[in-house]
Amino acid sequence: MLFSLETLGYVAAFCTTSSFLPQAILTIRTKDTESLSLGMYSLFSFGVALWLAYGIFKKDYALIVGNTVTLILATTILSFKLKDLISHKVRRHRARK
Amino acid sequence: MLFSLETLGYVAAFCTTSSFLPQAILTIRTKDTESLSLGMYSLFSFGVALWLAYGIFKKDYALIVGNTVTLILATTILSFKLKDLISHKVRRHRARK
């Protein structure tokens, strides 16, 4: 083979994680999470955490590295979304008083 | 362990693939790809195809099943985006004549 199976895994991890980066950068920069789905990001983050656990149990380093980075990005976006939802609720609660 | 390692992989695959489903359904239904990034979907589809190849070489069925379904969804979205871009170009070309 031209390159090892491990390299293939790392290139795959690089591609799928990189494709997620622009959204993460945009969210961190603008802090705008209005058009992001809470359900979708929760399910996705949970799924990535499970892939990470799967990679750890299987001692598969491409899965571990790829999913660790993706999990950090996904939960960062998720935390911005949750902060936004909480501050919206607090503002609405205060407006009612 | 409460459940097998294989089951963990399948649940992980189910979560990450399902989280991708709403976007695919929305795109197929509305055929609107205006706000989708061609670069992001190309890189993502390529990465998923590599994960699929990685899963095949490793005979890892959770990776194979999860990435096959995700690849079908991602390339479907990508094909809508490409069709949209081509028809835009054709229309602009005709308008110039």
Side-chain angles (χ1 to χ4, degrees), chain A residues 5 8-9 11-13 15-16 18-19 40 43-44 47 50-51 54 57-58 60, chain B residues 5 8-9 11-13 15-16 18-19 40 43-44 46-47 50-51 54 57-58 60:
Chain A
L5 188 53
L8 176 65
V11 178
C15 291
T16 50
S18 302
S19 72
M40 182 258 164
L43 190 65
F44 181 72
L50 292 186
W51 275 124
Y54 183 72
F57 280 122
K58 281 212 145 185
D60 186 313
Chain B
L5 188 53
L8 176 66
V11 178
C15 292
T16 49
S18 303
S19 73
M40 183 258 164
L43 190 64
F44 181 71
F46 182 65
L50 293 185
W51 275 123
Y54 183 71
F57 280 123
K58 282 213 146 186
D60 186 313

PDB file of all heavy atoms in Angstrom, chain A residues 5 8-9 11-13 15-16 18-19 40 43-44 47 50-51 54 57-58 60, chain B residues 5 8-9 11-13 15-16 18-19 40 43-44 46-47 50-51 54 57-58 60:
ATOM      1  N   LEU A   5      -2.591   2.188   6.941  1.00  0.00           N
ATOM      2  CA  LEU A   5      -3.999   2.263   7.308  1.00  0.00           C
ATOM      3  C   LEU A   5      -4.212   3.363   8.352  1.00  0.00           C
ATOM      4  O   LEU A   5      -5.226   4.072   8.335  1.00  0.00           O
ATOM      5  CB  LEU A   5      -4.413   0.892   7.867  1.00  0.00           C
ATOM      6  CG  LEU A   5      -5.884   0.663   8.144  1.00  0.00           C
ATOM      7  CD1 LEU A   5      -6.723   0.977   6.924  1.00  0.00           C
ATOM      8  CD2 LEU A   5      -6.115  -0.787   8.577  1.00  0.00           C
ATOM      9  N   LEU A   8      -4.467   6.701   6.736  1.00  0.00           N
ATOM     10  CA  LEU A   8      -5.803   6.853   6.145  1.00  0.00           C
ATOM     11  C   LEU A   8      -6.789   7.355   7.199  1.00  0.00           C
ATOM     12  O   LEU A   8      -7.568   8.289   6.954  1.00  0.00           O
ATOM     13  CB  LEU A   8      -6.273   5.513   5.566  1.00  0.00           C
ATOM     14  CG  LEU A   8      -7.688   5.451   4.977  1.00  0.00           C
ATOM     15  CD1 LEU A   8      -7.812   6.338   3.749  1.00  0.00           C
ATOM     16  CD2 LEU A   8      -8.074   4.020   4.607  1.00  0.00           C
ATOM     17  N   GLY A   9      -6.732   6.762   8.386  1.00  0.00           N
ATOM     18  CA  GLY A   9      -7.609   7.178   9.486  1.00  0.00           C
ATOM     19  C   GLY A   9      -7.372   8.628   9.889  1.00  0.00           C
ATOM     20  O   GLY A   9      -8.323   9.393  10.085  1.00  0.00           O
ATOM     21  N   VAL A  11      -6.063  11.035   8.005  1.00  0.00           N
ATOM     22  CA  VAL A  11      -6.501  11.936   6.927  1.00  0.00           C
ATOM     23  C   VAL A  11      -8.032  12.076   6.969  1.00  0.00           C
ATOM     24  O   VAL A  11      -8.574  13.181   6.835  1.00  0.00           O
ATOM     25  CB  VAL A  11      -6.027  11.434   5.531  1.00  0.00           C
ATOM     26  CG1 VAL A  11      -6.533  12.346   4.430  1.00  0.00           C
ATOM     27  CG2 VAL A  11      -4.511  11.365   5.481  1.00  0.00           C
ATOM     28  N   ALA A  12      -8.723  10.935   7.202  1.00  0.00           N
ATOM     29  CA  ALA A  12     -10.189  10.967   7.330  1.00  0.00           C
ATOM     30  C   ALA A  12     -10.581  11.888   8.496  1.00  0.00           C
ATOM     31  O   ALA A  12     -11.467  12.747   8.349  1.00  0.00           O
ATOM     32  CB  ALA A  12     -10.721   9.554   7.572  1.00  0.00           C
ATOM     33  N   ALA A  13      -9.915  11.716   9.631  1.00  0.00           N
ATOM     34  CA  ALA A  13     -10.206  12.539  10.815  1.00  0.00           C
ATOM     35  C   ALA A  13      -9.947  14.013  10.516  1.00  0.00           C
ATOM     36  O   ALA A  13     -10.748  14.889  10.874  1.00  0.00           O
ATOM     37  CB  ALA A  13      -9.339  12.084  11.988  1.00  0.00           C
ATOM     38  N   CYS A  15     -10.100  15.555   7.619  1.00  0.00           N
ATOM     39  CA  CYS A  15     -11.124  16.084   6.704  1.00  0.00           C
ATOM     40  C   CYS A  15     -12.444  16.355   7.423  1.00  0.00           C
ATOM     41  O   CYS A  15     -13.014  17.442   7.299  1.00  0.00           O
ATOM     42  CB  CYS A  15     -11.365  15.125   5.546  1.00  0.00           C
ATOM     43  SG  CYS A  15      -9.992  15.018   4.419  1.00  0.00           S
ATOM     44  N   THR A  16     -12.961  15.364   8.170  1.00  0.00           N
ATOM     45  CA  THR A  16     -14.279  15.561   8.792  1.00  0.00           C
ATOM     46  C   THR A  16     -14.200  16.615   9.898  1.00  0.00           C
ATOM     47  O   THR A  16     -15.118  17.412  10.058  1.00  0.00           O
ATOM     48  CB  THR A  16     -14.873  14.233   9.328  1.00  0.00           C
ATOM     49  OG1 THR A  16     -13.904  13.560  10.122  1.00  0.00           O
ATOM     50  CG2 THR A  16     -15.306  13.339   8.193  1.00  0.00           C
ATOM     51  N   SER A  18     -11.961  19.166  10.064  1.00  0.00           N
ATOM     52  CA  SER A  18     -11.733  20.478   9.422  1.00  0.00           C
ATOM     53  C   SER A  18     -13.023  21.049   8.865  1.00  0.00           C
ATOM     54  O   SER A  18     -13.257  22.254   8.917  1.00  0.00           O
ATOM     55  CB  SER A  18     -10.745  20.370   8.276  1.00  0.00           C
ATOM     56  OG  SER A  18      -9.549  19.866   8.725  1.00  0.00           O
ATOM     57  N   SER A  19     -13.874  20.166   8.310  1.00  0.00           N
ATOM     58  CA  SER A  19     -15.109  20.647   7.697  1.00  0.00           C
ATOM     59  C   SER A  19     -16.040  21.247   8.754  1.00  0.00           C
ATOM     60  O   SER A  19     -16.956  21.995   8.438  1.00  0.00           O
ATOM     61  CB  SER A  19     -15.817  19.505   6.965  1.00  0.00           C
ATOM     62  OG  SER A  19     -16.383  18.608   7.894  1.00  0.00           O
ATOM     63  N   MET A  40     -29.959  19.130  17.316  1.00  0.00           N
ATOM     64  CA  MET A  40     -28.977  18.563  16.407  1.00  0.00           C
ATOM     65  C   MET A  40     -27.579  18.559  17.049  1.00  0.00           C
ATOM     66  O   MET A  40     -26.868  17.567  16.993  1.00  0.00           O
ATOM     67  CB  MET A  40     -28.962  19.383  15.100  1.00  0.00           C
ATOM     68  CG  MET A  40     -28.022  18.873  14.042  1.00  0.00           C
ATOM     69  SD  MET A  40     -26.533  19.905  14.026  1.00  0.00           S
ATOM     70  CE  MET A  40     -25.368  18.948  13.136  1.00  0.00           C
ATOM     71  N   LEU A  43     -27.394  15.953  20.007  1.00  0.00           N
ATOM     72  CA  LEU A  43     -27.299  14.583  19.493  1.00  0.00           C
ATOM     73  C   LEU A  43     -25.926  14.331  18.868  1.00  0.00           C
ATOM     74  O   LEU A  43     -25.306  13.288  19.109  1.00  0.00           O
ATOM     75  CB  LEU A  43     -28.411  14.353  18.448  1.00  0.00           C
ATOM     76  CG  LEU A  43     -28.612  12.913  17.987  1.00  0.00           C
ATOM     77  CD1 LEU A  43     -29.090  12.052  19.141  1.00  0.00           C
ATOM     78  CD2 LEU A  43     -29.642  12.837  16.854  1.00  0.00           C
ATOM     79  N   PHE A  44     -25.454  15.305  18.103  1.00  0.00           N
ATOM     80  CA  PHE A  44     -24.157  15.160  17.441  1.00  0.00           C
ATOM     81  C   PHE A  44     -23.035  15.036  18.485  1.00  0.00           C
ATOM     82  O   PHE A  44     -22.187  14.140  18.389  1.00  0.00           O
ATOM     83  CB  PHE A  44     -23.906  16.357  16.519  1.00  0.00           C
ATOM     84  CG  PHE A  44     -22.611  16.277  15.777  1.00  0.00           C
ATOM     85  CD1 PHE A  44     -22.445  15.370  14.733  1.00  0.00           C
ATOM     86  CD2 PHE A  44     -21.548  17.096  16.106  1.00  0.00           C
ATOM     87  CE1 PHE A  44     -21.239  15.290  14.040  1.00  0.00           C
ATOM     88  CE2 PHE A  44     -20.337  17.022  15.421  1.00  0.00           C
ATOM     89  CZ  PHE A  44     -20.190  16.123  14.390  1.00  0.00           C
ATOM     90  N   GLY A  47     -23.150  11.711  20.139  1.00  0.00           N
ATOM     91  CA  GLY A  47     -22.652  10.700  19.206  1.00  0.00           C
ATOM     92  C   GLY A  47     -21.133  10.722  19.103  1.00  0.00           C
ATOM     93  O   GLY A  47     -20.490   9.664  19.124  1.00  0.00           O
ATOM     94  N   LEU A  50     -19.614   9.161  22.077  1.00  0.00           N
ATOM     95  CA  LEU A  50     -19.693   7.696  22.000  1.00  0.00           C
ATOM     96  C   LEU A  50     -18.632   7.131  21.055  1.00  0.00           C
ATOM     97  O   LEU A  50     -18.005   6.116  21.346  1.00  0.00           O
ATOM     98  CB  LEU A  50     -21.088   7.258  21.537  1.00  0.00           C
ATOM     99  CG  LEU A  50     -22.242   7.507  22.501  1.00  0.00           C
ATOM    100  CD1 LEU A  50     -23.529   6.885  21.955  1.00  0.00           C
ATOM    101  CD2 LEU A  50     -21.963   6.948  23.888  1.00  0.00           C
ATOM    102  N   TRP A  51     -18.404   7.810  19.909  1.00  0.00           N
ATOM    103  CA  TRP A  51     -17.333   7.392  18.981  1.00  0.00           C
ATOM    104  C   TRP A  51     -15.979   7.449  19.684  1.00  0.00           C
ATOM    105  O   TRP A  51     -15.115   6.592  19.480  1.00  0.00           O
ATOM    106  CB  TRP A  51     -17.285   8.281  17.737  1.00  0.00           C
ATOM    107  CG  TRP A  51     -18.218   7.905  16.625  1.00  0.00           C
ATOM    108  CD1 TRP A  51     -19.164   8.702  16.053  1.00  0.00           C
ATOM    109  CD2 TRP A  51     -18.292   6.647  15.917  1.00  0.00           C
ATOM    110  NE1 TRP A  51     -19.817   8.023  15.049  1.00  0.00           N
ATOM    111  CE2 TRP A  51     -19.307   6.762  14.947  1.00  0.00           C
ATOM    112  CE3 TRP A  51     -17.603   5.433  16.027  1.00  0.00           C
ATOM    113  CZ2 TRP A  51     -19.645   5.726  14.082  1.00  0.00           C
ATOM    114  CZ3 TRP A  51     -17.948   4.393  15.170  1.00  0.00           C
ATOM    115  CH2 TRP A  51     -18.949   4.547  14.213  1.00  0.00           C
ATOM    116  N   TYR A  54     -15.751   4.534  21.942  1.00  0.00           N
ATOM    117  CA  TYR A  54     -15.550   3.364  21.074  1.00  0.00           C
ATOM    118  C   TYR A  54     -14.081   3.271  20.638  1.00  0.00           C
ATOM    119  O   TYR A  54     -13.469   2.200  20.685  1.00  0.00           O
ATOM    120  CB  TYR A  54     -16.464   3.516  19.857  1.00  0.00           C
ATOM    121  CG  TYR A  54     -16.461   2.385  18.859  1.00  0.00           C
ATOM    122  CD1 TYR A  54     -17.052   1.169  19.163  1.00  0.00           C
ATOM    123  CD2 TYR A  54     -15.904   2.546  17.595  1.00  0.00           C
ATOM    124  CE1 TYR A  54     -17.080   0.135  18.238  1.00  0.00           C
ATOM    125  CE2 TYR A  54     -15.933   1.523  16.656  1.00  0.00           C
ATOM    126  CZ  TYR A  54     -16.517   0.312  16.980  1.00  0.00           C
ATOM    127  OH  TYR A  54     -16.543  -0.696  16.058  1.00  0.00           O
ATOM    128  N   PHE A  57     -11.914   2.209  23.665  1.00  0.00           N
ATOM    129  CA  PHE A  57     -12.031   0.776  23.936  1.00  0.00           C
ATOM    130  C   PHE A  57     -11.297  -0.050  22.888  1.00  0.00           C
ATOM    131  O   PHE A  57     -10.737  -1.087  23.178  1.00  0.00           O
ATOM    132  CB  PHE A  57     -13.502   0.354  23.986  1.00  0.00           C
ATOM    133  CG  PHE A  57     -14.172   0.673  25.291  1.00  0.00           C
ATOM    134  CD1 PHE A  57     -15.307   1.473  25.336  1.00  0.00           C
ATOM    135  CD2 PHE A  57     -13.674   0.178  26.492  1.00  0.00           C
ATOM    136  CE1 PHE A  57     -15.934   1.769  26.536  1.00  0.00           C
ATOM    137  CE2 PHE A  57     -14.291   0.473  27.700  1.00  0.00           C
ATOM    138  CZ  PHE A  57     -15.420   1.268  27.724  1.00  0.00           C
ATOM    139  N   LYS A  58     -11.330   0.430  21.631  1.00  0.00           N
ATOM    140  CA  LYS A  58     -10.698  -0.310  20.534  1.00  0.00           C
ATOM    141  C   LYS A  58      -9.217   0.040  20.362  1.00  0.00           C
ATOM    142  O   LYS A  58      -8.558  -0.523  19.486  1.00  0.00           O
ATOM    143  CB  LYS A  58     -11.446  -0.014  19.222  1.00  0.00           C
ATOM    144  CG  LYS A  58     -12.745  -0.808  19.099  1.00  0.00           C
ATOM    145  CD  LYS A  58     -13.024  -1.124  17.635  1.00  0.00           C
ATOM    146  CE  LYS A  58     -13.674  -2.457  17.455  1.00  0.00           C
ATOM    147  NZ  LYS A  58     -13.845  -2.838  16.062  1.00  0.00           N
ATOM    148  N   ASP A  60      -8.055   2.677  19.030  1.00  0.00           N
ATOM    149  CA  ASP A  60      -7.928   3.150  17.656  1.00  0.00           C
ATOM    150  C   ASP A  60      -7.602   4.644  17.705  1.00  0.00           C
ATOM    151  O   ASP A  60      -8.463   5.479  17.983  1.00  0.00           O
ATOM    152  CB  ASP A  60      -9.262   2.894  16.921  1.00  0.00           C
ATOM    153  CG  ASP A  60      -9.185   3.228  15.441  1.00  0.00           C
ATOM    154  OD1 ASP A  60      -8.669   4.316  15.096  1.00  0.00           O
ATOM    155  OD2 ASP A  60      -9.639   2.410  14.632  1.00  0.00           O
TER     156      ASP A  60
ATOM    157  N   LEU B   5     -19.194  -3.908  22.722  1.00  0.00           N
ATOM    158  CA  LEU B   5     -18.454  -2.813  22.091  1.00  0.00           C
ATOM    159  C   LEU B   5     -19.060  -2.483  20.726  1.00  0.00           C
ATOM    160  O   LEU B   5     -19.143  -1.312  20.327  1.00  0.00           O
ATOM    161  CB  LEU B   5     -16.992  -3.247  21.944  1.00  0.00           C
ATOM    162  CG  LEU B   5     -15.982  -2.208  21.484  1.00  0.00           C
ATOM    163  CD1 LEU B   5     -16.058  -0.965  22.359  1.00  0.00           C
ATOM    164  CD2 LEU B   5     -14.571  -2.779  21.530  1.00  0.00           C
ATOM    165  N   LEU B   8     -22.030  -0.251  21.101  1.00  0.00           N
ATOM    166  CA  LEU B   8     -21.575   1.130  21.356  1.00  0.00           C
ATOM    167  C   LEU B   8     -21.292   1.830  20.030  1.00  0.00           C
ATOM    168  O   LEU B   8     -21.713   2.978  19.809  1.00  0.00           O
ATOM    169  CB  LEU B   8     -20.318   1.108  22.235  1.00  0.00           C
ATOM    170  CG  LEU B   8     -19.657   2.462  22.526  1.00  0.00           C
ATOM    171  CD1 LEU B   8     -20.567   3.351  23.371  1.00  0.00           C
ATOM    172  CD2 LEU B   8     -18.321   2.270  23.272  1.00  0.00           C
ATOM    173  N   GLY B   9     -20.603   1.144  19.127  1.00  0.00           N
ATOM    174  CA  GLY B   9     -20.289   1.702  17.815  1.00  0.00           C
ATOM    175  C   GLY B   9     -21.544   2.025  17.016  1.00  0.00           C
ATOM    176  O   GLY B   9     -21.651   3.094  16.410  1.00  0.00           O
ATOM    177  N   VAL B  11     -24.587   2.596  18.223  1.00  0.00           N
ATOM    178  CA  VAL B  11     -25.322   3.713  18.841  1.00  0.00           C
ATOM    179  C   VAL B  11     -24.631   5.036  18.472  1.00  0.00           C
ATOM    180  O   VAL B  11     -25.294   6.025  18.131  1.00  0.00           O
ATOM    181  CB  VAL B  11     -25.426   3.547  20.386  1.00  0.00           C
ATOM    182  CG1 VAL B  11     -26.132   4.734  21.015  1.00  0.00           C
ATOM    183  CG2 VAL B  11     -26.156   2.273  20.738  1.00  0.00           C
ATOM    184  N   ALA B  12     -23.298   5.038  18.499  1.00  0.00           N
ATOM    185  CA  ALA B  12     -22.538   6.230  18.093  1.00  0.00           C
ATOM    186  C   ALA B  12     -22.877   6.604  16.648  1.00  0.00           C
ATOM    187  O   ALA B  12     -23.166   7.768  16.335  1.00  0.00           O
ATOM    188  CB  ALA B  12     -21.038   5.968  18.236  1.00  0.00           C
ATOM    189  N   ALA B  13     -22.872   5.600  15.769  1.00  0.00           N
ATOM    190  CA  ALA B  13     -23.187   5.821  14.353  1.00  0.00           C
ATOM    191  C   ALA B  13     -24.605   6.361  14.198  1.00  0.00           C
ATOM    192  O   ALA B  13     -24.842   7.306  13.435  1.00  0.00           O
ATOM    193  CB  ALA B  13     -23.035   4.514  13.579  1.00  0.00           C
ATOM    194  N   CYS B  15     -26.361   8.094  16.354  1.00  0.00           N
ATOM    195  CA  CYS B  15     -26.450   9.489  16.830  1.00  0.00           C
ATOM    196  C   CYS B  15     -25.852  10.483  15.837  1.00  0.00           C
ATOM    197  O   CYS B  15     -26.493  11.477  15.490  1.00  0.00           O
ATOM    198  CB  CYS B  15     -25.736   9.644  18.179  1.00  0.00           C
ATOM    199  SG  CYS B  15     -26.555   8.797  19.515  1.00  0.00           S
ATOM    200  N   THR B  16     -24.619  10.232  15.380  1.00  0.00           N
ATOM    201  CA  THR B  16     -23.983  11.216  14.489  1.00  0.00           C
ATOM    202  C   THR B  16     -24.694  11.265  13.121  1.00  0.00           C
ATOM    203  O   THR B  16     -24.844  12.340  12.550  1.00  0.00           O
ATOM    204  CB  THR B  16     -22.472  10.947  14.311  1.00  0.00           C
ATOM    205  OG1 THR B  16     -22.269   9.579  13.988  1.00  0.00           O
ATOM    206  CG2 THR B  16     -21.695  11.286  15.574  1.00  0.00           C
ATOM    207  N   SER B  18     -27.968  10.463  12.560  1.00  0.00           N
ATOM    208  CA  SER B  18     -29.293  11.071  12.764  1.00  0.00           C
ATOM    209  C   SER B  18     -29.201  12.586  12.862  1.00  0.00           C
ATOM    210  O   SER B  18     -30.073  13.306  12.385  1.00  0.00           O
ATOM    211  CB  SER B  18     -29.933  10.566  14.056  1.00  0.00           C
ATOM    212  OG  SER B  18     -30.026   9.201  14.036  1.00  0.00           O
ATOM    213  N   SER B  19     -28.146  13.077  13.509  1.00  0.00           N
ATOM    214  CA  SER B  19     -28.004  14.525  13.690  1.00  0.00           C
ATOM    215  C   SER B  19     -27.831  15.226  12.343  1.00  0.00           C
ATOM    216  O   SER B  19     -28.023  16.429  12.225  1.00  0.00           O
ATOM    217  CB  SER B  19     -26.823  14.837  14.608  1.00  0.00           C
ATOM    218  OG  SER B  19     -25.616  14.603  13.929  1.00  0.00           O
ATOM    219  N   MET B  40     -17.284  23.142   2.462  1.00  0.00           N
ATOM    220  CA  MET B  40     -17.497  22.359   3.682  1.00  0.00           C
ATOM    221  C   MET B  40     -18.078  20.991   3.357  1.00  0.00           C
ATOM    222  O   MET B  40     -17.609  19.965   3.858  1.00  0.00           O
ATOM    223  CB  MET B  40     -18.436  23.137   4.612  1.00  0.00           C
ATOM    224  CG  MET B  40     -18.692  22.472   5.936  1.00  0.00           C
ATOM    225  SD  MET B  40     -20.318  21.665   5.910  1.00  0.00           S
ATOM    226  CE  MET B  40     -20.241  20.585   7.293  1.00  0.00           C
ATOM    227  N   LEU B  43     -15.454  18.703   1.508  1.00  0.00           N
ATOM    228  CA  LEU B  43     -14.442  18.187   2.440  1.00  0.00           C
ATOM    229  C   LEU B  43     -15.054  17.128   3.356  1.00  0.00           C
ATOM    230  O   LEU B  43     -14.455  16.070   3.598  1.00  0.00           O
ATOM    231  CB  LEU B  43     -13.878  19.344   3.277  1.00  0.00           C
ATOM    232  CG  LEU B  43     -12.664  19.022   4.130  1.00  0.00           C
ATOM    233  CD1 LEU B  43     -11.474  18.641   3.270  1.00  0.00           C
ATOM    234  CD2 LEU B  43     -12.281  20.214   5.020  1.00  0.00           C
ATOM    235  N   PHE B  44     -16.262  17.418   3.852  1.00  0.00           N
ATOM    236  CA  PHE B  44     -16.937  16.487   4.747  1.00  0.00           C
ATOM    237  C   PHE B  44     -17.219  15.151   4.033  1.00  0.00           C
ATOM    238  O   PHE B  44     -16.924  14.081   4.578  1.00  0.00           O
ATOM    239  CB  PHE B  44     -18.244  17.108   5.256  1.00  0.00           C
ATOM    240  CG  PHE B  44     -18.988  16.228   6.213  1.00  0.00           C
ATOM    241  CD1 PHE B  44     -18.506  16.005   7.497  1.00  0.00           C
ATOM    242  CD2 PHE B  44     -20.172  15.606   5.847  1.00  0.00           C
ATOM    243  CE1 PHE B  44     -19.184  15.180   8.395  1.00  0.00           C
ATOM    244  CE2 PHE B  44     -20.855  14.780   6.736  1.00  0.00           C
ATOM    245  CZ  PHE B  44     -20.364  14.575   8.007  1.00  0.00           C
ATOM    246  N   PHE B  46     -15.744  13.894   1.417  1.00  0.00           N
ATOM    247  CA  PHE B  46     -14.463  13.221   1.156  1.00  0.00           C
ATOM    248  C   PHE B  46     -13.975  12.527   2.425  1.00  0.00           C
ATOM    249  O   PHE B  46     -13.533  11.375   2.407  1.00  0.00           O
ATOM    250  CB  PHE B  46     -13.444  14.261   0.657  1.00  0.00           C
ATOM    251  CG  PHE B  46     -12.108  13.683   0.302  1.00  0.00           C
ATOM    252  CD1 PHE B  46     -11.993  12.783  -0.761  1.00  0.00           C
ATOM    253  CD2 PHE B  46     -10.967  14.026   1.006  1.00  0.00           C
ATOM    254  CE1 PHE B  46     -10.758  12.233  -1.088  1.00  0.00           C
ATOM    255  CE2 PHE B  46      -9.730  13.489   0.686  1.00  0.00           C
ATOM    256  CZ  PHE B  46      -9.617  12.587  -0.365  1.00  0.00           C
ATOM    257  N   GLY B  47     -14.067  13.238   3.560  1.00  0.00           N
ATOM    258  CA  GLY B  47     -13.648  12.672   4.844  1.00  0.00           C
ATOM    259  C   GLY B  47     -14.467  11.450   5.217  1.00  0.00           C
ATOM    260  O   GLY B  47     -13.913  10.432   5.654  1.00  0.00           O
ATOM    261  N   LEU B  50     -13.402   8.536   3.249  1.00  0.00           N
ATOM    262  CA  LEU B  50     -12.150   7.971   3.768  1.00  0.00           C
ATOM    263  C   LEU B  50     -12.403   7.134   5.029  1.00  0.00           C
ATOM    264  O   LEU B  50     -11.808   6.075   5.215  1.00  0.00           O
ATOM    265  CB  LEU B  50     -11.141   9.083   4.077  1.00  0.00           C
ATOM    266  CG  LEU B  50     -10.590   9.858   2.884  1.00  0.00           C
ATOM    267  CD1 LEU B  50      -9.515  10.842   3.348  1.00  0.00           C
ATOM    268  CD2 LEU B  50      -9.987   8.914   1.845  1.00  0.00           C
ATOM    269  N   TRP B  51     -13.305   7.625   5.914  1.00  0.00           N
ATOM    270  CA  TRP B  51     -13.669   6.848   7.115  1.00  0.00           C
ATOM    271  C   TRP B  51     -14.277   5.512   6.701  1.00  0.00           C
ATOM    272  O   TRP B  51     -14.030   4.479   7.331  1.00  0.00           O
ATOM    273  CB  TRP B  51     -14.673   7.595   7.990  1.00  0.00           C
ATOM    274  CG  TRP B  51     -14.096   8.574   8.968  1.00  0.00           C
ATOM    275  CD1 TRP B  51     -14.383   9.905   9.056  1.00  0.00           C
ATOM    276  CD2 TRP B  51     -13.145   8.303  10.016  1.00  0.00           C
ATOM    277  NE1 TRP B  51     -13.679  10.476  10.095  1.00  0.00           N
ATOM    278  CE2 TRP B  51     -12.918   9.518  10.689  1.00  0.00           C
ATOM    279  CE3 TRP B  51     -12.474   7.160  10.443  1.00  0.00           C
ATOM    280  CZ2 TRP B  51     -12.038   9.628  11.775  1.00  0.00           C
ATOM    281  CZ3 TRP B  51     -11.600   7.259  11.524  1.00  0.00           C
ATOM    282  CH2 TRP B  51     -11.385   8.473  12.171  1.00  0.00           C
ATOM    283  N   TYR B  54     -11.540   3.304   5.597  1.00  0.00           N
ATOM    284  CA  TYR B  54     -10.830   2.901   6.821  1.00  0.00           C
ATOM    285  C   TYR B  54     -11.597   1.767   7.515  1.00  0.00           C
ATOM    286  O   TYR B  54     -11.006   0.761   7.929  1.00  0.00           O
ATOM    287  CB  TYR B  54     -10.722   4.125   7.735  1.00  0.00           C
ATOM    288  CG  TYR B  54      -9.964   3.928   9.017  1.00  0.00           C
ATOM    289  CD1 TYR B  54      -8.578   3.773   9.015  1.00  0.00           C
ATOM    290  CD2 TYR B  54     -10.625   3.940  10.249  1.00  0.00           C
ATOM    291  CE1 TYR B  54      -7.875   3.627  10.211  1.00  0.00           C
ATOM    292  CE2 TYR B  54      -9.928   3.797  11.439  1.00  0.00           C
ATOM    293  CZ  TYR B  54      -8.558   3.644  11.408  1.00  0.00           C
ATOM    294  OH  TYR B  54      -7.860   3.506  12.597  1.00  0.00           O
ATOM    295  N   PHE B  57     -11.266  -1.506   5.461  1.00  0.00           N
ATOM    296  CA  PHE B  57      -9.950  -2.134   5.655  1.00  0.00           C
ATOM    297  C   PHE B  57      -9.838  -2.774   7.039  1.00  0.00           C
ATOM    298  O   PHE B  57      -9.197  -3.802   7.217  1.00  0.00           O
ATOM    299  CB  PHE B  57      -8.818  -1.109   5.471  1.00  0.00           C
ATOM    300  CG  PHE B  57      -8.497  -0.837   4.031  1.00  0.00           C
ATOM    301  CD1 PHE B  57      -8.561   0.459   3.515  1.00  0.00           C
ATOM    302  CD2 PHE B  57      -8.118  -1.867   3.174  1.00  0.00           C
ATOM    303  CE1 PHE B  57      -8.281   0.712   2.178  1.00  0.00           C
ATOM    304  CE2 PHE B  57      -7.831  -1.616   1.843  1.00  0.00           C
ATOM    305  CZ  PHE B  57      -7.915  -0.321   1.347  1.00  0.00           C
ATOM    306  N   LYS B  58     -10.460  -2.101   8.047  1.00  0.00           N
ATOM    307  CA  LYS B  58     -10.370  -2.615   9.426  1.00  0.00           C
ATOM    308  C   LYS B  58     -11.459  -3.640   9.739  1.00  0.00           C
ATOM    309  O   LYS B  58     -11.512  -4.152  10.853  1.00  0.00           O
ATOM    310  CB  LYS B  58     -10.474  -1.438  10.398  1.00  0.00           C
ATOM    311  CG  LYS B  58      -9.172  -0.644  10.527  1.00  0.00           C
ATOM    312  CD  LYS B  58      -9.037  -0.109  11.929  1.00  0.00           C
ATOM    313  CE  LYS B  58      -7.597  -0.062  12.370  1.00  0.00           C
ATOM    314  NZ  LYS B  58      -7.439   0.312  13.767  1.00  0.00           N
ATOM    315  N   ASP B  60     -14.507  -3.019  10.338  1.00  0.00           N
ATOM    316  CA  ASP B  60     -15.233  -2.463  11.485  1.00  0.00           C
ATOM    317  C   ASP B  60     -16.641  -2.091  11.006  1.00  0.00           C
ATOM    318  O   ASP B  60     -16.839  -1.095  10.321  1.00  0.00           O
ATOM    319  CB  ASP B  60     -14.474  -1.223  11.999  1.00  0.00           C
ATOM    320  CG  ASP B  60     -15.067  -0.660  13.269  1.00  0.00           C
ATOM    321  OD1 ASP B  60     -16.310  -0.502  13.333  1.00  0.00           O
ATOM    322  OD2 ASP B  60     -14.299  -0.387  14.199  1.00  0.00           O
TER     323      ASP B  60
END
